[in-house]
Amino acid sequence: MRIGVLTGGGDCPGLNAVIRAVVRKGIEAHGWEVIGFRNGWRGPMEGLTKALGLDEVEEILTRGGTILGSSRTNPYKEEGGVEKIREVLAQHKVDALVAIGGEDTLGVAKRLTDDGIPVVGVPKTIDNDLGATDYTFGFDTAVHIATEALDRLRTTAESHHRALVVEVMGRHAGWIALHAGLAGGANVILVPEKPFSVEKVVEWTQRRFERQYAPIIVVAEGAMPEGGAELLHNGEKDAFGHVRLGGVGQWLAEEIAERTGKESRAVVLGHVQRGGTPTAYDRVLATRFGLHAVDAVHDGDFGVMVALRGTDIVRVKLSEATAELKTVPDERLQEAEVFFG
């Protein structure tokens, strides 16, 4: 048997750990051949391949990013995209695909399975917003990076008696902002799930100044002021219809400075959250996902995604996994409010 592996969407710490697990178990447990498809769904559309043997995955466990490359390609938006995938898989004698990605990549995987192409999904996103799984790998690393940044920024904020607004990733879900904000002792945490009052943020900020401390505000890129809209980097959309967000941190810092008369600065962590060595937790979770994805292929159980439920890895239908995003519930936000201001 020969299986293909691809990584789609945004890069994420832990992707290489999944690839390594799939290759090692596929070869050593089942005697399969494994082939990598480069650059997301563009790989099986255009025949972009990479050999994946034991030697190719020997040193990749600790590496961030993905040795296969990635893209936001949508074969259903490309003329003849699905038929091209069929032809390439037949040409390379690939019996099944393991697709590692977030909602968009797995949404394509679900449609391909419906169209008769056997796919098993592995959940990946630093945003932790995929339904049907308790956690996705990459999230722990992103939170760790954001928390370390907050620890470092706090000292410079205190030295200069200024407010610091830290913008983190999170288009529709504020998991990174919430977890990093709590772990880093932020005074205000703003998430996409709940529009925020600028007046209230200014009040909390002013209260912090009055106590002779520097305010630290964490804001997800998709957070919106009451009555306002998302701040866009530009109006361009990718192949899945997403616009690029950015700017809410700078906008809020300027509002705070104008309304309080205090110095305020914005820091955008951006892709720093995606890069570098994955944490031990993400390496283990990613490895377990890869091993269980191979089991699903071996069982002929296609159209499923491996998922974390408690401490167990289970299989769920791709239709369930992509049905809705997992956002931060109100009760989690209420837990954090005692620390605001």
Side-chain angles (χ1 to χ4, degrees), residues 1 5 9 24 29 47 78 82 106 113 133 192-193 238 311 317 327:
M1 186 173 189
V5 184
R24 291 194 62 172
E78 304 279 345
V82 177
L106 297 181
T113 301
T133 185
E193 290 85 348
D238 63 19
T311 58
K317 293 294 185 183
T327 55

Side-chain angles (χ1 to χ4, degrees), residues 163 165 196-207 209-210 215 217 224-228 248 250-265:
V165 180
F196 62 89
S197 162
V198 179
E199 289 75 17
K200 193 68 176 177
V201 172
V202 170
E203 177 187 332
W204 283 326
T205 301
Q206 189 65 50
R207 188 188 310 166
F209 276 127
E210 290 171 357
I217 299 97
M224 298 177 289
E226 292 176 347
V248 65
Q250 183 61 43
W251 176 83
L252 184 58
E254 292 172 358
E255 287 290 316
I256 290 172
E258 180 178 342
R259 298 186 188 211
T260 65
K262 302 288 188 178
E263 192 175 5
S264 183
R265 293 284 188 275

Side-chain angles (χ1 to χ4, degrees), residues 45-312:
M45 279 178 52
E46 301 180 2
L48 308 175
T49 64
K50 179 181 177 67
L52 287 180
L54 295 177
D55 289 341
E56 282 75 21
V57 301
E58 181 65 28
E59 303 291 343
I60 67 172
L61 178 63
T62 61
R63 287 177 56 180
T66 165
I67 63 170
L68 294 178
S70 189
S71 73
R72 298 190 184 278
T73 302
N74 184 349
Y76 286 92
K77 291 293 182 69
E78 304 279 345
E79 185 175 353
V82 177
E83 288 310 310
K84 290 177 183 177
I85 289 177
R86 291 187 198 277
E87 294 169 4
V88 168
L89 295 184
Q91 176 188 347
H92 290 278
K93 300 179 180 179
V94 173
D95 300 293
L97 280 173
V98 174
I100 312 165
E103 59 165 325
D104 296 326
T105 301
L106 297 181
V108 170
K110 191 267 181 189
R111 294 183 66 179
L112 288 175
T113 301
D114 293 343
D115 288 335
I117 297 175
V119 186
V120 170
V122 175
K124 173 271 331 172
T125 168
I126 66 171
D127 292 330
N128 197 42
D129 61 357
L130 267 177
T133 185
D134 290 347
Y135 284 97
T136 55
F137 68 87
F139 172 66
D140 187 70
T141 302
V143 169
H144 179 80
I145 291 169
T147 302
E148 183 180 12
L150 289 173
D151 292 344
R152 293 176 179 274
L153 290 168
R154 180 177 300 282
T155 59
T156 185
E158 296 287 0
S159 297
H160 293 275
H161 314 292
R162 60 168 61 119
L164 267 176
V165 180
V166 183
E167 182 180 317
V168 300
M169 286 186 168
R171 174 183 294 274
H172 300 299
W175 291 108
I176 294 177
L178 177 63
H179 281 239
L182 284 173
N187 308 111
V188 181
I189 302 171
L190 306 174
V191 296
E193 290 85 348
K194 185 176 182 180
F196 62 89
S197 162
V198 179
E199 289 75 17
K200 193 68 176 177
V201 172
V202 170
E203 177 187 332
W204 283 326
T205 301
Q206 189 65 50
R207 188 188 310 166
R208 187 72 176 170
F209 276 127
E210 290 171 357
R211 294 178 58 201
Q212 304 299 310
Y213 290 106
I216 303 292
I217 299 97
V218 177
V219 56
E221 63 184 345
M224 298 177 289
E226 292 176 347
E230 296 174 324
L231 271 74
L232 308 182
H233 184 272
N234 55 48
E236 297 178 0
K237 295 183 178 180
D238 63 19
F240 293 93
H242 301 311
V243 292
R244 182 178 172 188
L245 301 181
V248 65
Q250 183 61 43
W251 176 83
L252 184 58
E254 292 172 358
E255 287 290 316
I256 290 172
E258 180 178 342
R259 298 186 188 211
T260 65
K262 302 288 188 178
E263 192 175 5
S264 183
R265 293 284 188 275
V267 177
V268 181
L269 296 186
H271 289 79
V272 170
Q273 296 156 93
R274 292 191 182 280
T277 301
T279 61
Y281 179 88
D282 279 340
R283 296 182 207 182
V284 172
L285 180 58
T287 297
R288 295 182 70 199
F289 278 159
L291 297 176
H292 282 263
V294 170
D295 290 342
V297 173
H298 181 260
D299 295 343
D301 192 5
F302 301 113
V304 300
M305 180 191 83
V306 293
L308 180 69
R309 294 282 177 84
T311 58
D312 297 327

Side-chain angles (χ1 to χ4, degrees), residues 314-331:
V314 300
R315 300 175 195 171
V316 298
K317 293 294 185 183
L318 281 169
S319 56
E320 178 186 350
T322 58
E324 62 180 356
L325 290 176
K326 180 180 64 183
T327 55
V328 180
D330 285 343
E331 54 266 28

